[in-house]
Amino acid sequence: MKKIIYCFSGTGNSLRAAKVIAEVLKDTTIVNVRKDPSGYSAEDADIIGFVCPVYEWDIPGRMKEFISGLSVNPNAYIFMVATYIAVHGKAFETVEDILSTKGAHLSYSRAIRCVASQCIAYPPFPPEKLMLPLMEKNMLKTAREISEMKFRKYPHMSFITRKLFPKLMVPYLNIEHEYDKGFFTDKRCIGCSTCEKVCPNKNIVIEDGRPKWNHNCNGCNACVVYCPTKAIQFKRPKAYDELGTLMTKLLSLPDKRKRYHNPHINARDLMV
Ligand SMILES: Cc1cc2nc3c(=O)[nH]c(=O)nc-3n(C[C@H](O)[C@H](O)[C@H](O)COP(=O)(O)O)c2cc1C
């Protein structure tokens, strides 16, 4: 039986979920969506998984591109797991819509709440101590249900989110590729190219021993949080000024934006 999981992950939560599922399913390949989908067909796969975060009430642009370019077996058991913090929006509908153009459909879907890690906008929350045990528990529960090939309907976008989407999210989606405009390195940069290798969008090249961002960003934060010397700094994109300040105030978050990544996932895991 061929089992394959396609994964996008910036700060490791989704890759951790993919790994827990793969461990329970056994003999399962995890493909990072940095790869070219034409080389990773799922035409002969029996179990196909898509695991990624929710970004701007949808899935990351790179994940959309990847699934659109992928050949799948329409009769396979297909699952989707999205990691998120509060609003999954149309993430599952997007994947179902892309799959339906290929005659395929989601058999099982689940959203798993995780530590939110959009450090360019606001500090990570809720506290890791509280969330990590819950995340692990939910990932394992999800993995077991998938290994039993259970069916679970995909959650739709709520009425309110659908109404608010164009006003609240589309402005962010329009500038998403430019999130990297505020990224730069300080003197701690050792030119190790970790940032280049962990970027799921292949958005970074190393020039003269320093990273150069090419404005094809999804804002995943992988380069920032996995930099071994914490040399990558960032200016908050303008669009995030209001949101970031509001969330920091509302949730009484510390103003210092700590660099969270999932403790089970290291930079090497993301480089495959
Ligand atoms: C650019 C960006 C946009 C995000 N948008 C949402 C969102 O719309 N809804 C939500 O609940 N969480 C949102 N999050 C939080 C992530 O979905 C969450 O932190 C996820 O677990 C990250 O997965 P990863 O560690 O695999 O990258 C966003 C995070 C980032 C970086």
Side-chain angles (χ1 to χ4, degrees):
M1 197 183 245
K2 184 172 168 184
K3 303 169 224 173
I4 190 157
I5 299 176
Y6 301 96
C7 180
F8 176 112
S9 189
T11 58
N13 292 336
S14 308
L15 183 55
R16 174 63 184 164
K19 280 185 175 260
V20 171
I21 297 166
E23 224 166 84
V24 173
L25 277 179
K26 296 190 177 72
D27 306 319
T28 303
T29 309
I30 300 176
V31 176
N32 187 319
V33 302
R34 326 165 19 95
K35 305 263 165 60
D36 176 357
S38 62
Y40 290 89
S41 159
E43 262 169 333
D44 56 346
D46 305 288
I47 299 183
I48 305 168
F50 299 105
V51 185
C52 69
V54 173
Y55 280 0
E56 330 295 15
W57 299 0
D58 202 342
I59 59 168
R62 174 64 199 147
M63 192 72 186
K64 271 185 221 169
E65 270 171 32
F66 188 93
I67 306 175
S68 301
L70 187 72
S71 308
V72 299
N73 169 9
N75 301 315
Y77 173 82
I78 305 182
F79 68 87
M80 168 171 174
V81 173
T83 66
Y84 79 132
I85 178 60
V87 185
H88 58 68
K90 60 176 184 172
F92 295 92
E93 283 165 67
T94 296
V95 173
E96 174 65 19
D97 285 352
I98 302 173
L99 289 176
S100 63
T101 65
K102 301 168 192 286
H105 296 280
L106 286 171
S107 308
Y108 178 98
S109 308
R110 188 182 280 283
I112 300 179
R113 279 186 210 277
C114 291
V115 176
S117 47
Q118 203 170 358
C119 73
I120 56 168
Y122 47 79
F125 75 99
E128 286 173 52
K129 256 194 183 166
L130 184 82
M131 282 307 278
L132 288 170
L134 279 176
M135 287 157 62
E136 288 292 305
K137 195 174 147 206
N138 286 333
M139 287 173 187
L140 192 59
K141 177 182 169 192
T142 304
R144 289 195 178 127
E145 288 180 355
I146 291 169
S147 73
E148 289 161 15
M149 290 177 116
K150 287 205 169 150
F151 282 77
R152 195 165 192 272
K153 276 191 184 162
Y154 65 90
H156 282 79
M157 197 177 197
S158 72
F159 176 76
I160 297 174
T161 345
R162 200 176 295 279
K163 285 273 169 234
L164 293 175
F165 186 81
K167 196 160 185 326
L168 287 190
M169 288 300 134
V170 171
Y172 291 117
L173 288 172
N174 288 342
I175 57 143
E176 181 188 59
H177 59 285
E178 296 180 353
Y179 282 163
D180 60 5
K181 274 196 169 167
F183 289 4
F184 60 97
T185 48
D186 64 23
K187 58 177 192 284
R188 286 175 287 186
C189 178
I190 50 171
C192 66
S193 78
T194 300
C195 50
E196 180 194 15
K197 292 178 190 144
V198 296
C199 175
N201 271 16
K202 294 195 193 154
N203 179 39
I204 301 172
V205 288
I206 305 294
E207 274 182 16
D208 301 326
R210 292 269 168 136
K212 180 175 169 271
W213 287 266
N214 286 314
H215 314 317
N216 178 28
C217 186
N218 281 167
C220 78
N221 294 273
C223 55
V224 176
V225 301
Y226 282 104
C227 173
T229 60
K230 296 198 170 87
I232 300 178
Q233 310 303 330
F234 47 88
K235 289 189 205 109
R236 186 147 78 187
K238 255 207 158 115
Y240 270 126
D241 268 354
E242 271 175 36
L243 176 76
T245 311
L246 182 75
M247 288 186 60
T248 307
K249 269 197 186 144
L250 276 181
L251 300 166
S252 305
L253 300 171
D255 206 31
K256 191 163 162 30
R257 273 165 273 156
K258 195 184 156 231
R259 293 159 190 240
Y260 163 88
H261 67 71
N262 188 291
H264 299 282
I265 300 297
N266 60 40
R268 226 159 247 296
D269 295 321
L270 284 171
M271 289 179 191
V272 290

